[in-house]
Every structure is written in structure tokens, then in C-alpha cells.
Amino acid sequence: MKTLMIYGAAGYTGSMVAEHARAAGLSIIVAGRSEAPLSELATKLGLPSRVFPADDPIAIAAALDGVDVLLNCAGPFMRTAEPMMRAAIAAGVHYLDVAAELDSYLLAEKLDADARTAGVMLLPGSGGSVAMLGSLASHAVPRIAQPRTIRIALRVTGSMSRGSAMSAAKNVMTETLVRRDGLLQSRGSSETRPFDFGLGEVDCFPLTLPDLITIGRSTGAPNVETFVRVSGDAFPEGDLTALPAGPDAQQRDASRYQAAVEVTGADGAVARSILDTVNGYSFTALAAAEAARRVLAGEVCPGFQTPAGLFGAGFAETIADTAIIDLPS
């Protein structure tokens, strides 16, 4: 049986991923930077563990001995993605993560040729909003003959985990980007746009999301714009280190996520679809574990891949009770 290593397994998201992966019967090694919490998790789940730093490609490559797939759940990914990706390429191990940071995807593009040469797949965003929005966009695109522009919005509800909040604070981009004619360009940050998530239109503000890269890559649409609607305590302020690890199961169940997409064709035709799913943290853990299972089973294509491009537009709908609904044209 092929083996999955989950790095950052003792963290909030990583521990949920480990539990789902174990329930799926996968062969797992849990790994991380800190021995005490990792040892506690390994004992709880009855799994082997390895402790090593996240910033040393040589140490990481050595620790990947006997591993077939590496799933990185340790943020901030601006610090962990590059050494992990480079070590995975050197070790011949397929790389997955749950990053929501643009830099990870720019890096995957940069390392695409090296990964292909090594026969290694780079699949950042195997869980989370990238898998959600990618599936939604790929579902809607075939409804338009010549898709030119994709505008997509994510409705974020509930509270943010401590790790996500700290990672987001370190990755705040002063520049708001859009994909125009296949290139990332600056856009105004105050140009809100209404989207209907199923209960009437609400204004959403533009935000630089990695989907600018992944949706363009998986659909071929030259123009992509990304937006967010935030409610609850999604972006907390103050001392982020004092936050709880993350929302508990009851809080997650009370805060579902939605997304909406508009695909415009060369002739002006517009297709709209909406997605409704479980809380983002629940979705991320389930989707990442499922992506890892499928990669271990042989669903692999060397180089930089996206979840929707690799697994198909229906990937998100295999996770929990996710549903995509087409709206009238």
C-alpha cells in the first residue's frame, strides 16, 4: 500500500485531515515541527510519526523516505510551500497542500517544468476554496460557447481558525489583482459587484485569490475576477495568538459556505451557477483527504495541476452534501 505523509498534522486543519484519511483506510505517517502535540496525535490515531523542520529541503527530502504523497497542512504557506515542493520534487514524491495564498500557486507555476521532468505532481489547493471555486467554474463554463470572462465570489461565514488568521495577516496583499488576457494585472479594490448566492443579490468586494491562476488554468478562460462576501468573524482583529484553535463542530455546522459564478461568452451570453456546501474548514479537511486518496490510487499527472483540472468539475460535489445549481440564463 502506498503511503501518505500529512505535514502539520497536529494543527487544527491537519488533525481533521488525518482523522478523515485514517477513516478512509489510508496508510499514513503524521509529521510536523513540534514533537509533543504530534506524539499525542499519533498515539490517539495509532499512527507513526516523524518530526522535522519545514524550512530545510534536505531534511525534508530525507524524511520523505518511503513516502509516496506529501500533503502539506502547515502554514503560513509562504514559508513552507517552497522548501516542501522542492524537497518533494527531489524525492520523487507527489505534493499536495491546502494553501489559499497566491504565492503557492505562482511557485507551482515556476516549478512546473522541474516537476514534470521528475514525474512529480504539484497539487496546491487540494482542499478548500480552490477546490470549491474550481469545480463551480468548470461546471458553468460548458454552458457558454466561447467563455471569455469568469467572475466568481465566495461567501465566507463563521469564525476563522487561529492558524488561518495568522497566515492571512502575514499575506495581506496591498494590490488587488485580476486576470486579463491571461495575465495578472492590478484592479481597483473598491469596485464591488453584486452576486446572488441563492437569497437575492448582495455586494461583494474584489480580493486577490489563487483562483485567478487555477480557474484560468483549468478552464482556459482568459479573464478571471475573484470576489468575497464576508459575514461573522471571518477576519478577526486584535491579538490573533489569543484566538481559539478554530471553530468547533457545532459552530462549523451552523456556518455553511456558498459561492456564485458568472461566465460571460464572446457573444455576451451569460451563465450563472451557485454552490452550497458545508463550512470551509469541514470541506477542506474532507476534500484534502479525498484528494490524497485519489492520488494514492493513481490519479496523477506530473507538473502543476488543479483539483478541477485533475479530478473533473464534479469533484466538489463528491464532498459531504455539496450541491451546484444552475440559475436561469
Side-chain angles (χ1 to χ4, degrees), residues 305-318:
Q305 306 299 327
T306 69
L310 181 68
F311 302 130
F315 179 61
E317 292 177 284
T318 68

PDB file of all heavy atoms in Angstrom, residues 305-318:
ATOM      1  N   GLN A 305      -0.919  20.959 -11.282  1.00  0.00           N
ATOM      2  CA  GLN A 305      -2.296  20.625 -11.613  1.00  0.00           C
ATOM      3  C   GLN A 305      -3.254  21.355 -10.668  1.00  0.00           C
ATOM      4  O   GLN A 305      -2.863  21.839  -9.610  1.00  0.00           O
ATOM      5  CB  GLN A 305      -2.525  19.113 -11.509  1.00  0.00           C
ATOM      6  CG  GLN A 305      -1.567  18.267 -12.321  1.00  0.00           C
ATOM      7  CD  GLN A 305      -1.630  18.543 -13.808  1.00  0.00           C
ATOM      8  OE1 GLN A 305      -2.697  18.865 -14.345  1.00  0.00           O
ATOM      9  NE2 GLN A 305      -0.502  18.417 -14.501  1.00  0.00           N
ATOM     10  N   THR A 306      -4.515  21.415 -11.066  1.00  0.00           N
ATOM     11  CA  THR A 306      -5.561  21.973 -10.216  1.00  0.00           C
ATOM     12  C   THR A 306      -6.553  20.862  -9.881  1.00  0.00           C
ATOM     13  O   THR A 306      -6.699  19.906 -10.656  1.00  0.00           O
ATOM     14  CB  THR A 306      -6.306  23.116 -10.914  1.00  0.00           C
ATOM     15  OG1 THR A 306      -7.078  22.580 -12.009  1.00  0.00           O
ATOM     16  CG2 THR A 306      -5.321  24.154 -11.454  1.00  0.00           C
ATOM     17  N   PRO A 307      -7.270  20.977  -8.749  1.00  0.00           N
ATOM     18  CA  PRO A 307      -8.234  19.927  -8.399  1.00  0.00           C
ATOM     19  C   PRO A 307      -9.290  19.697  -9.477  1.00  0.00           C
ATOM     20  O   PRO A 307      -9.576  18.554  -9.840  1.00  0.00           O
ATOM     21  CB  PRO A 307      -8.852  20.445  -7.095  1.00  0.00           C
ATOM     22  CG  PRO A 307      -7.786  21.300  -6.497  1.00  0.00           C
ATOM     23  CD  PRO A 307      -7.113  21.965  -7.666  1.00  0.00           C
ATOM     24  N   ALA A 308      -9.863  20.789 -10.019  1.00  0.00           N
ATOM     25  CA  ALA A 308     -10.890  20.638 -11.049  1.00  0.00           C
ATOM     26  C   ALA A 308     -10.305  20.080 -12.336  1.00  0.00           C
ATOM     27  O   ALA A 308     -10.939  19.285 -13.032  1.00  0.00           O
ATOM     28  CB  ALA A 308     -11.570  21.974 -11.310  1.00  0.00           C
ATOM     29  N   GLY A 309      -9.086  20.507 -12.671  1.00  0.00           N
ATOM     30  CA  GLY A 309      -8.450  20.000 -13.879  1.00  0.00           C
ATOM     31  C   GLY A 309      -8.091  18.532 -13.775  1.00  0.00           C
ATOM     32  O   GLY A 309      -8.213  17.773 -14.743  1.00  0.00           O
ATOM     33  N   LEU A 310      -7.660  18.087 -12.594  1.00  0.00           N
ATOM     34  CA  LEU A 310      -7.242  16.698 -12.396  1.00  0.00           C
ATOM     35  C   LEU A 310      -8.424  15.766 -12.166  1.00  0.00           C
ATOM     36  O   LEU A 310      -8.523  14.701 -12.791  1.00  0.00           O
ATOM     37  CB  LEU A 310      -6.283  16.618 -11.201  1.00  0.00           C
ATOM     38  CG  LEU A 310      -5.727  15.230 -10.886  1.00  0.00           C
ATOM     39  CD1 LEU A 310      -4.786  14.762 -11.998  1.00  0.00           C
ATOM     40  CD2 LEU A 310      -5.005  15.229  -9.541  1.00  0.00           C
ATOM     41  N   PHE A 311      -9.323  16.173 -11.277  1.00  0.00           N
ATOM     42  CA  PHE A 311     -10.419  15.287 -10.875  1.00  0.00           C
ATOM     43  C   PHE A 311     -11.726  15.543 -11.613  1.00  0.00           C
ATOM     44  O   PHE A 311     -12.657  14.748 -11.517  1.00  0.00           O
ATOM     45  CB  PHE A 311     -10.673  15.426  -9.370  1.00  0.00           C
ATOM     46  CG  PHE A 311      -9.484  15.123  -8.504  1.00  0.00           C
ATOM     47  CD1 PHE A 311      -9.083  15.998  -7.506  1.00  0.00           C
ATOM     48  CD2 PHE A 311      -8.753  13.955  -8.676  1.00  0.00           C
ATOM     49  CE1 PHE A 311      -7.989  15.721  -6.694  1.00  0.00           C
ATOM     50  CE2 PHE A 311      -7.652  13.658  -7.877  1.00  0.00           C
ATOM     51  CZ  PHE A 311      -7.270  14.551  -6.880  1.00  0.00           C
ATOM     52  N   GLY A 312     -11.822  16.673 -12.327  1.00  0.00           N
ATOM     53  CA  GLY A 312     -13.045  16.990 -13.048  1.00  0.00           C
ATOM     54  C   GLY A 312     -13.931  17.966 -12.298  1.00  0.00           C
ATOM     55  O   GLY A 312     -13.776  18.191 -11.098  1.00  0.00           O
ATOM     56  N   ALA A 313     -14.883  18.548 -13.037  1.00  0.00           N
ATOM     57  CA  ALA A 313     -15.757  19.577 -12.477  1.00  0.00           C
ATOM     58  C   ALA A 313     -16.620  19.060 -11.328  1.00  0.00           C
ATOM     59  O   ALA A 313     -17.055  19.832 -10.479  1.00  0.00           O
ATOM     60  CB  ALA A 313     -16.660  20.151 -13.574  1.00  0.00           C
ATOM     61  N   GLY A 314     -16.855  17.771 -11.281  1.00  0.00           N
ATOM     62  CA  GLY A 314     -17.729  17.216 -10.253  1.00  0.00           C
ATOM     63  C   GLY A 314     -17.044  16.935  -8.932  1.00  0.00           C
ATOM     64  O   GLY A 314     -17.692  16.426  -7.998  1.00  0.00           O
ATOM     65  N   PHE A 315     -15.750  17.284  -8.788  1.00  0.00           N
ATOM     66  CA  PHE A 315     -15.020  16.922  -7.572  1.00  0.00           C
ATOM     67  C   PHE A 315     -15.675  17.474  -6.310  1.00  0.00           C
ATOM     68  O   PHE A 315     -15.876  16.754  -5.335  1.00  0.00           O
ATOM     69  CB  PHE A 315     -13.572  17.404  -7.657  1.00  0.00           C
ATOM     70  CG  PHE A 315     -12.756  17.100  -6.425  1.00  0.00           C
ATOM     71  CD1 PHE A 315     -12.552  15.797  -6.024  1.00  0.00           C
ATOM     72  CD2 PHE A 315     -12.196  18.125  -5.670  1.00  0.00           C
ATOM     73  CE1 PHE A 315     -11.796  15.506  -4.886  1.00  0.00           C
ATOM     74  CE2 PHE A 315     -11.443  17.856  -4.535  1.00  0.00           C
ATOM     75  CZ  PHE A 315     -11.248  16.533  -4.137  1.00  0.00           C
ATOM     76  N   ALA A 316     -16.022  18.755  -6.301  1.00  0.00           N
ATOM     77  CA  ALA A 316     -16.604  19.352  -5.092  1.00  0.00           C
ATOM     78  C   ALA A 316     -17.891  18.659  -4.685  1.00  0.00           C
ATOM     79  O   ALA A 316     -18.195  18.529  -3.491  1.00  0.00           O
ATOM     80  CB  ALA A 316     -16.848  20.846  -5.298  1.00  0.00           C
ATOM     81  N   GLU A 317     -18.655  18.200  -5.658  1.00  0.00           N
ATOM     82  CA  GLU A 317     -19.943  17.571  -5.345  1.00  0.00           C
ATOM     83  C   GLU A 317     -19.796  16.177  -4.746  1.00  0.00           C
ATOM     84  O   GLU A 317     -20.782  15.595  -4.290  1.00  0.00           O
ATOM     85  CB  GLU A 317     -20.812  17.524  -6.602  1.00  0.00           C
ATOM     86  CG  GLU A 317     -21.260  18.902  -7.068  1.00  0.00           C
ATOM     87  CD  GLU A 317     -22.052  18.863  -8.349  1.00  0.00           C
ATOM     88  OE1 GLU A 317     -21.424  18.688  -9.420  1.00  0.00           O
ATOM     89  OE2 GLU A 317     -23.286  18.997  -8.291  1.00  0.00           O
ATOM     90  N   THR A 318     -18.572  15.650  -4.716  1.00  0.00           N
ATOM     91  CA  THR A 318     -18.343  14.370  -4.037  1.00  0.00           C
ATOM     92  C   THR A 318     -18.049  14.576  -2.556  1.00  0.00           C
ATOM     93  O   THR A 318     -17.923  13.596  -1.813  1.00  0.00           O
ATOM     94  CB  THR A 318     -17.156  13.615  -4.671  1.00  0.00           C
ATOM     95  OG1 THR A 318     -15.924  14.321  -4.400  1.00  0.00           O
ATOM     96  CG2 THR A 318     -17.324  13.472  -6.164  1.00  0.00           C
TER      97      THR A 318
END
